[in-house]
Amino acid sequence: MIDDRDRKILDILQRDAATPVTDIAEKVSLSISACSRRIQKLEESGYIARRIVVLDREKSGVPTTVYALVKTAHHADDWIEEFRRAISDIPEIVEAHRLTGHYDYILKVVLPRVEHYDVVYRRLVKRVELFDVSASISMETLKQGFAVPVDYAE
């Protein structure tokens, strides 16, 4: 069970994991050692899954985002595992979600330019059979973030 201080610590760390413990401790009114122990407990209990660095996509050479909507005629577990392996081997596919509704999956693909989508598409369809793929190019990012609400954490 976590309390409001823990939630505040989680909120601070997910916005910037490099925030010094001294700053976090001050913001949540704890001693540095008590704050450090809480962070360690949050890591051990799985609230903090990992700490990562978020790269600037422009500087990394992949400023373009394409969302690929995928339909498949296959829904067996072995096909899903094959699909999972195929998308895991393509670094440009940075997110994948199984959906309800008209399409089965949505893939977030980051690219150096829109023309590179065909390269990624060909790699994917060589690995796994798909019924239909429809792609949409992101024109503008209106909101982007990795922080999740901490109010629901128990």
Side-chain angles (χ1 to χ4, degrees):
M1 191 73 131
I2 67 172
D3 61 18
D4 287 339
R5 278 193 175 136
D6 292 326
R7 286 183 191 88
K8 180 73 173 168
I9 291 169
L10 290 172
D11 193 48
I12 293 166
L13 285 173
Q14 74 175 337
R15 293 178 193 288
D16 184 0
T19 304
V21 177
T22 53
D23 293 354
I24 299 169
E26 184 179 317
K27 290 177 183 179
V28 298
S29 303
L30 285 173
S31 70
I32 295 168
S33 59
C35 185
S36 184
R37 283 192 302 273
R38 281 186 182 239
I39 292 170
Q40 184 177 359
K41 182 180 169 190
L42 290 166
E43 288 174 329
E44 290 169 354
S45 60
Y47 285 95
I48 299 172
R50 67 177 191 239
R51 298 185 194 203
I52 62 169
V53 172
V54 178
L55 302 181
D56 181 286
R57 290 197 23 216
E58 288 280 337
K59 291 182 179 182
S60 298
V62 286
T64 304
T65 304
V66 172
Y67 290 94
L69 293 159
V70 176
K71 284 186 192 179
T72 181
H74 307 282
H75 299 282
D77 289 344
D78 59 335
W79 183 91
I80 294 169
E81 275 309 306
E82 183 180 349
F83 181 65
R84 189 183 312 266
R85 282 190 302 276
I87 61 176
S88 293
D89 290 343
I90 301 172
E92 293 89 347
I93 300 174
V94 296
E95 278 188 50
H97 301 268
R98 191 163 58 95
L99 305 173
T100 62
H102 192 65
Y103 288 94
D104 297 307
Y105 301 91
I106 187 169
L107 310 176
K108 180 179 179 181
V109 186
V110 297
L111 305 164
R113 60 191 181 287
V114 72
E115 293 82 6
H116 191 76
Y117 173 71
D118 190 50
V119 173
V120 173
Y121 171 81
R122 288 173 187 253
R123 274 193 283 173
L124 181 60
V125 297
K126 279 183 184 177
R127 300 271 319 267
V128 66
E129 182 183 346
L130 303 174
F131 178 74
D132 182 40
V133 180
S134 176
S136 295
I137 302 162
S138 173
M139 302 287 289
E140 177 184 11
T141 301
L142 301 177
K143 180 179 180 181
Q144 179 177 333
F146 301 97
V148 297
V150 296
D151 297 343
Y152 304 102
E154 296 181 0

